[in-house]
């Protein structure tokens, strides 16, 4: 894992949090611009500041440092409760379970995506005809307003614990639907604790 990988996630987290420019974030949180800019452009590591950045941008600390998605969540009576394992996990080139050429797959499966990324689903989502083990091809460069019915990656922050969890849901503004439980209730989208991280462009079922 290089500092540049982390810098790219830091930059993405800042933009997803609504700060268009790095200077907007430094002014909001009182950070020194040269220091933060060095962290975001990858010229300096920021492990000692990672927890502070994760909290400020409402992203999961482990994702910011390693790219791994935190344990997922489910809806129970409108509340988010932890599950035993992650609902989705980021997939990197070279992982043996999916020995594919990611760059080639992105060109074939998501030719219009500006920032393609791959995730593995670990729970059945019947409402979206998705099964555990499906490979999700996502575009992390979102349109300003995703179309109603779009399948999206949603990061949900539990402000009580400071943890952030990523789930896959169908967006019907202002609600998110399609949890893993057949009786899961829709969640009302809350910009203060939720952010849409990407849109699922297509899925691939792997039988290997």
């Amino acid at each position: 894992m290089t500092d540049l990988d982390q810098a790219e996630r830091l930059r993405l987290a800042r933009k997803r949090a609504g700060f268009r420019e790095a200077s907007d974030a430094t002014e909001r949180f009182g950070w020194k611009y040269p220091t933060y800019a060095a962290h975001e452009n990858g010229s300096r590591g920021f492990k000692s500041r990672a927890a502070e950045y994760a909290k400020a941008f409402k992203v999961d600390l482990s994702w910011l440092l390693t790219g791994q998605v935190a344990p997922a969540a489910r809806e129970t009576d409108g509340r988010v409760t932890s599950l035993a394992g992650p609902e989705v996990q980021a997939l990197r080139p070279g992982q043996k379970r999916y020995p594919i050429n990611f760059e080639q797959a992105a060109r074939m499966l998501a030719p219009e995506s500006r920032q393609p990324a791959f995730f593995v689903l670990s729970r059945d989502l019947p409402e979206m005809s998705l099964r555990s083990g499906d490979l999700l091809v996502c575009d992390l460069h979102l349109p300003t307003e995703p179309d109603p019915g779009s399948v999206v990656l949603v990061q949900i922050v539990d402000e009580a614990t400071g943890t952030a969890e990523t789930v896959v849901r169908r967006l019907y503004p202002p609600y998110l639907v399609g949890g893993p439980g057949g009786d899961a209730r829709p969640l009302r989208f809350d910009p203060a604790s939720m952010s849409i991280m990407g849109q699922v462009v297509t899925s691939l079922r792997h039988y290997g």
Side-chain angles (χ1 to χ4, degrees):
M1 186 63 57
T2 67
D3 289 345
L4 192 58
D5 295 326
Q6 294 177 346
E8 178 61 31
R9 287 192 295 275
L10 180 61
R11 182 161 49 251
L12 178 62
R14 185 253 302 164
K15 291 181 178 179
R16 290 285 185 265
F19 299 98
R20 186 172 181 177
E21 303 293 340
S23 57
D24 297 331
T26 58
E27 290 176 10
R28 167 64 177 80
F29 298 109
W31 301 328
K32 293 181 179 179
Y33 178 81
T35 300
Y36 177 81
H39 292 162
E40 194 173 282
N41 67 30
S43 61
R44 289 178 57 186
F46 58 86
K47 186 175 181 180
S48 64
R49 300 287 298 275
E52 181 180 358
Y53 292 154
K55 182 177 180 180
F57 295 143
K58 296 183 178 180
V59 297
D60 181 63
L61 176 58
S62 63
W63 173 82
L64 186 60
L65 287 172
T66 69
Q68 292 296 313
V69 180
R74 68 179 175 188
E75 302 88 359
T76 304
D77 297 329
R79 299 179 62 189
V80 178
T81 58
S82 294
L83 290 174
E87 184 169 301
V88 287
Q89 288 183 300
L91 191 63
R92 293 193 183 88
Q95 289 185 233
K96 294 181 179 180
R97 186 178 180 185
Y98 291 90
I100 63 175
N101 184 311
F102 280 71
E103 187 174 331
Q104 183 178 11
R107 287 198 301 266
M108 293 176 60
L109 299 173
E112 297 182 2
S113 295
R114 296 178 59 182
Q115 193 175 355
F118 295 83
F119 294 82
V120 178
L121 186 67
S122 60
R123 299 189 181 278
D124 291 343
L125 299 176
E127 192 274 337
M128 290 172 277
S129 300
L130 295 173
R131 295 181 185 175
S132 175
D134 283 357
L135 179 66
L136 306 180
V137 184
C138 304
D139 189 350
L140 300 184
H141 189 280
L142 280 168
T144 303
E145 295 184 7
D147 294 331
S150 298
V151 179
V152 294
L153 292 174
V154 183
Q155 188 170 78
I156 304 174
V157 177
D158 184 343
E159 296 183 351
T161 62
T163 59
E165 302 175 317
T166 302
V167 300
V168 180
R169 297 293 180 267
R170 194 178 294 278
L171 177 66
Y172 288 107
Y175 293 100
L176 300 166
V177 302
D183 60 349
R185 300 182 182 183
L187 275 179
R188 188 178 183 90
F189 186 81
D190 177 11
S193 61
M194 302 177 184
S195 58
I196 299 176
M197 307 299 292
Q199 182 170 339
V200 177
V201 178
T202 188
S203 63
L204 181 66
R205 192 151 293 163
H206 179 66
Y207 295 97

